Amino acid sequence: MPKTTKNGKPRTEELPGTLQRSPQKAQETFAQAHDSALKTYDGDEEIAHRVAFGAVKHTFEKVGDHWEKKDHKGPSDERAASPR
Protein backbone atom coordinates (compact mmCIF):
# COMPACT_ATOMS: atom_id res chain seq x y z
CA MET A 1 0.00 0.00 0.00
CA PRO A 2 1.41 3.42 -0.92
CA LYS A 3 2.60 5.57 1.96
CA THR A 4 2.18 8.90 0.15
CA THR A 5 -0.88 10.78 -1.02
CA LYS A 6 -1.37 11.87 -4.63
CA ASN A 7 0.32 15.20 -3.82
CA GLY A 8 3.38 13.43 -2.34
CA LYS A 9 2.70 13.98 1.37
CA PRO A 10 3.18 11.04 3.76
CA ARG A 11 0.06 9.22 4.96
CA THR A 12 0.82 9.46 8.67
CA GLU A 13 -1.68 6.77 9.63
CA GLU A 14 0.12 4.32 7.30
CA LEU A 15 3.56 4.89 8.85
CA PRO A 16 5.11 2.76 11.60
CA GLY A 17 4.56 4.19 15.10
CA THR A 18 8.17 5.25 15.56
CA LEU A 19 7.92 7.38 12.44
CA GLN A 20 4.58 8.88 13.44
CA ARG A 21 6.40 10.37 16.45
CA SER A 22 9.34 11.59 14.33
CA PRO A 23 10.12 14.76 12.34
CA GLN A 24 8.27 15.43 9.10
CA LYS A 25 11.47 14.91 7.06
CA ALA A 26 11.89 11.37 8.44
CA GLN A 27 8.26 10.61 7.55
CA GLU A 28 8.72 11.98 4.03
CA THR A 29 11.95 10.02 3.52
CA PHE A 30 10.32 6.75 4.59
CA ALA A 31 7.15 7.26 2.56
CA GLN A 32 8.89 8.28 -0.66
CA ALA A 33 11.51 5.52 -0.45
CA HIS A 34 8.80 2.96 0.33
CA ASP A 35 6.65 3.93 -2.64
CA SER A 36 9.63 4.01 -4.98
CA ALA A 37 10.71 0.55 -3.82
CA LEU A 38 7.17 -0.78 -4.29
CA LYS A 39 7.39 0.17 -7.96
CA THR A 40 10.92 -1.14 -8.34
CA TYR A 41 10.27 -4.50 -6.67
CA ASP A 42 6.86 -5.25 -8.20
CA GLY A 43 4.79 -4.49 -5.11
CA ASP A 44 6.83 -6.52 -2.61
CA GLU A 45 5.87 -4.88 0.72
CA GLU A 46 8.62 -6.52 2.77
CA ILE A 47 11.41 -5.31 0.51
CA ALA A 48 9.83 -1.85 0.26
CA HIS A 49 9.69 -1.64 4.06
CA ARG A 50 13.36 -2.61 4.40
CA VAL A 51 14.47 -0.17 1.71
CA ALA A 52 12.48 2.64 3.33
CA PHE A 53 13.99 2.06 6.78
CA GLY A 54 17.44 1.91 5.16
CA ALA A 55 16.83 5.34 3.68
CA VAL A 56 15.72 6.73 7.05
CA LYS A 57 18.74 5.24 8.82
CA HIS A 58 21.08 7.12 6.49
CA THR A 59 20.16 10.52 7.97
CA PHE A 60 18.25 9.68 11.18
CA GLU A 61 18.94 7.52 14.22
CA LYS A 62 16.43 5.85 16.49
CA VAL A 63 16.29 7.42 19.94
CA GLY A 64 13.81 5.72 22.25
CA ASP A 65 10.46 5.57 20.47
CA HIS A 66 11.21 8.01 17.61
CA TRP A 67 13.85 9.04 15.05
CA GLU A 68 16.13 12.09 15.35
CA LYS A 69 18.35 13.71 12.74
CA LYS A 70 21.98 12.56 12.83
CA ASP A 71 24.85 15.03 13.17
CA HIS A 72 26.24 13.69 9.89
CA LYS A 73 24.94 11.49 7.09
CA GLY A 74 26.20 7.97 6.69
CA PRO A 75 25.65 4.33 7.56
CA SER A 76 23.98 3.58 10.87
CA ASP A 77 26.48 0.77 11.47
CA GLU A 78 30.00 2.10 12.08
CA ARG A 79 31.47 -1.12 10.71
CA ALA A 80 29.93 -0.36 7.31
CA ALA A 81 32.04 2.79 7.02
CA SER A 82 35.39 1.01 7.50
CA PRO A 83 37.04 -0.97 4.71
CA ARG A 84 37.36 -4.71 5.16
Side-chain angles (χ1 to χ4, degrees):
M1 170 172 274
K3 304 294 184 202
T4 56
T5 61
K6 289 182 181 181
N7 62 2
K9 299 290 182 188
R11 295 176 191 241
T12 308
E13 69 280 356
E14 294 287 329
L15 299 176
T18 56
L19 282 160
Q20 290 177 8
R21 293 181 290 275
S22 300
Q24 182 73 24
K25 179 61 178 160
Q27 294 176 5
E28 291 170 355
T29 299
F30 181 90
Q32 291 170 0
H34 181 276
D35 290 356
S36 178
L38 270 181
K39 292 177 187 172
T40 302
Y41 297 104
D42 296 323
D44 189 322
E45 282 281 341
E46 182 179 347
I47 292 175
H49 193 77
R50 289 177 187 213
V51 167
F53 267 118
V56 170
K57 288 179 181 180
H58 194 72
T59 54
F60 291 86
E61 60 186 340
K62 191 171 178 194
V63 178
D65 68 344
H66 65 284
W67 294 84
E68 291 182 7
K69 191 162 178 66
K70 286 183 181 180
D71 293 333
H72 62 282
K73 292 181 181 181
S76 58
D77 184 351
E78 295 169 3
R79 295 176 293 173
S82 63
R84 293 184 178 203

